[in-house]
Amino acid sequence: MRIADNMNYTQMNQNIMKNRSESSKLQDQAATLKRVTKPSDDPVATTRALTAKTDMAGMDQYEKNINLARAFLEYSEQSLGDLNEALVRVKELAIGQANEAGANAITRKTVAAEIDQILNQVVQIGNRRIGERYLFGGFKTTAAPFSSRGEYHGDDGEIMIEIDKSSYIAMNMPGHKVFLGQDAASRSAFAEGKNVDRTPEGIKQTQLREAQEAEIAELKKTQGLKGPEVRGPASVLSAAHPEVPVGDDGVGLQPEGSDIFNVVRSLSIGLKSNDTTTIQESLERVDDAINQVVMSRAQVGSRVMALDSAFQTNQRLSGDAKALVSSQEDADVYQVFSDMSKNQTQLEATLNSSSKMSKLSLLDFLR
C-alpha cells in the first residue's frame, strides 16, 4: 500500500488535535473538579443529577416551611405555657378565698384586683403575634383576634403548610378553641396518638362528615325522634350513647369546653361581691380551663415533634441527594491528575515523532 506524505501529515494533525483536545478536557476537570459540565459529557449522569437537584430544591423549600411552622408553633406553645401559669395562679387565689376562715370581703376585693390584672394578661396572650402575624386568629392573622372583653374576631381556620410530599400540618391553633372552648368536641387524635389526615383531601372529608353529622342532628331535632335512632352514613357519629360520643375511627370526642375569659371574669365578680358560692363553683371551672389549655399544649407539642421528625427525614434525604449529585458530576481528583500526566506524555511523544517525520524528504534518500 502506497502511503503519501499528505496522509502522514493528516494523521499527525489528527493525533495532535486529539491529544490537545483531551488535555483541554482534563484541564477543565482539574479547574472545576467536575466530570460533567455539560449534558454531552454524560447524558445519563446529567439526567440523574438534574433529577436529584430538583428534589433538593423541593427539600430546601420544605425545610423553610418546617422552620416557619416550628417558629410559629414554639411561640404558640410558649404562650400557652404562660396562659397555663396564669390560670394556675387564678386557682391558687381562688382556693385561698374560697372559705370563710381565712378570707373576708376586704381580702377578696384585693384579690379581685389581681384577678382583673390576670384577665388583662390573658387577653394580651391571646393577641400575641410573631412578626406581623397574630398567633390565635386563624386565617385572620393581620388583626388582633380578641377584644379587651375577650370577644373573638378571628375564625376557625388552621393554616396548613406542606412539610413533605403530600404531607401537611397545621402551624397555628385558632383562638376560639384554646380560649373559648368552642369546637372542643373535635377529635383528640394527637392526644390519643392517632394519625390525622391533614391533607386538603382529608380536610374536605372531615368537613363533609361534620356536615352529615349536623344534618342528622337537625333531622332528629325537627322530627322529635326519641325511639329508634335515625340511621345516617357510616361516618356519622352514633347517637345511641351521647354520654360517650365515639367517632367512626374509634377516636373519642371531648366534652364541651370552657370560656376562659368568662371563667376568670365570673371569679372576679364573685370576689368583689363576696360570694363564697360563686368562688367555690369557680374552682372546678378553672380546673376545666387548665385542662383545656393542657390539651391544646399537647396538640401543639405533638405537631412540633412531627416537624422535628420531618426535618430529620428531610436532612437525610437531602444528604442522599447531594451524594448522588456528587457521584454523577464530581471528578476524581487523583484520576484527573494521573490522566493529565499520561496525556502530557502522549502529547510530547506525538510532537517528537511528528517533528522527526516532517524533516524527511526525497532529497535525504538521494544522497
Side-chain angles (χ1 to χ4, degrees):
M1 179 180 178
R2 181 176 179 273
I3 299 177
D5 290 340
N6 187 41
M7 295 177 63
N8 286 330
Y9 288 126
T10 301
Q11 184 65 34
M12 286 188 296
N13 287 332
Q14 290 178 350
N15 291 335
I16 293 173
M17 291 298 297
K18 179 180 178 181
N19 289 331
R20 289 190 180 278
S21 176
E22 184 67 20
S23 177
S24 176
K25 179 180 178 181
L26 292 172
Q27 287 178 356
D28 288 340
Q29 291 183 6
T32 61
L33 298 180
K34 296 291 184 181
R35 182 181 65 87
V36 178
T37 57
K38 54 184 180 296
S40 59
D41 293 338
D42 191 337
V44 175
T46 300
T47 301
R48 293 174 179 172
L50 289 175
T51 301
K53 287 180 179 180
T54 301
D55 293 339
M56 288 170 56
M59 294 172 192
D60 290 341
Q61 184 59 51
Y62 292 145
E63 183 173 343
K64 293 178 182 178
N65 292 349
I66 290 172
N67 290 332
L68 173 62
R70 181 189 284 117
F72 218 88
L73 289 172
E74 286 181 348
Y75 193 36
S76 297
E77 200 278 335
Q78 178 184 341
S79 300
L80 293 177
D82 295 341
L83 177 60
N84 185 74
E85 292 179 0
L87 291 176
V88 170
R89 177 58 180 166
V90 168
K91 182 179 179 181
E92 292 176 354
L93 295 174
I95 292 175
Q97 304 299 318
N99 57 79
E100 297 291 348
N104 53 49
I106 297 176
T107 60
R108 286 169 180 152
K109 287 183 179 180
T110 303
V111 171
E114 183 176 351
I115 294 294
D116 290 339
Q117 291 297 322
I118 294 177
L119 179 59
N120 293 333
Q121 180 184 352
V122 172
V123 174
Q124 293 174 1
I125 293 174
N127 288 332
R128 282 186 180 176
R129 60 184 178 180
I130 179 170
E132 297 297 326
R133 307 177 72 179
Y134 287 90
L135 296 176
F136 302 107
F139 289 143
K140 298 180 179 180
T141 59
T142 59
F146 292 100
S147 67
S148 59
R149 293 191 53 81
E151 298 169 344
Y152 186 61
H153 300 296
D155 56 29
D156 60 351
E158 291 188 336
I159 304 174
M160 310 302 295
I161 191 166
E162 189 173 14
I163 59 174
D164 199 357
K165 292 181 180 178
S166 302
S167 179
Y168 297 81
I169 195 169
M171 60 178 283
N172 69 320
M173 181 72 68
H176 76 294
K177 294 182 180 180
V178 180
F179 293 86
L180 305 183
Q182 297 177 9
D183 197 28
S186 60
R187 299 170 186 274
S188 56
F190 283 108
E192 299 292 337
K194 302 292 184 179
N195 184 26
V196 179
D197 187 358
R198 293 287 183 178
T199 63
E201 183 63 27
I203 296 174
K204 182 179 179 181
Q205 292 297 329
T206 300
Q207 293 175 344
L208 177 60
R209 182 178 62 248
E210 292 175 352
Q212 292 173 340
E213 294 170 3
E215 183 179 355
I216 294 299
E218 183 66 22
L219 180 62
K220 295 182 65 176
K221 181 179 179 181
T222 54
Q223 294 182 355
L225 297 179
K226 298 182 180 180
E229 65 176 13
V230 177
R231 178 61 179 173
S235 61
V236 178
L237 302 177
S238 173
H241 305 285
E243 69 281 3
V244 186
V246 177
D248 57 296
D249 55 0
V251 181
L253 303 184
Q254 296 187 40
E256 195 65 28
S258 301
D259 185 334
I260 295 177
F261 300 105
N262 284 339
V263 170
V264 178
R265 189 179 294 111
S266 64
L267 174 60
S268 175
I269 294 174
L271 290 169
K272 293 176 181 178
S273 61
N274 197 26
D275 188 346
T276 307
T277 302
T278 301
I279 297 173
Q280 292 174 349
E281 290 176 351
S282 297
L283 291 175
E284 184 177 354
R285 298 179 63 192
V286 171
D287 283 334
D288 292 339
I290 292 175
N291 292 335
Q292 181 173 294
V293 175
V294 169
M295 181 60 66
S296 298
R297 292 186 69 184
Q299 293 185 14
V300 172
S302 65
R303 294 177 189 178
V304 173
M305 291 179 60
L307 289 177
D308 291 339
S309 177
F311 182 80
Q312 294 175 2
T313 301
N314 188 71
Q315 289 288 306
R316 184 173 62 254
L317 294 177
S318 180
D320 294 342
K322 290 178 180 178
L324 176 60
V325 172
S326 177
S327 66
Q328 298 298 321
E329 287 189 343
D330 291 352
D332 186 342
V333 178
Y334 296 102
Q335 184 66 37
V336 169
F337 283 101
S338 176
D339 292 342
M340 287 181 65
S341 178
K342 179 181 177 180
N343 180 262
Q344 183 67 23
T345 301
Q346 291 176 347
L347 180 58
E348 291 176 356
T350 301
L351 292 174
N352 288 333
S353 62
S354 300
S355 176
K356 292 179 181 180
M357 291 184 64
S358 62
K359 292 179 180 179
L360 297 177
S361 67
L362 182 60
L363 296 176
D364 293 330
F365 296 98
L366 294 178
R367 293 177 182 177

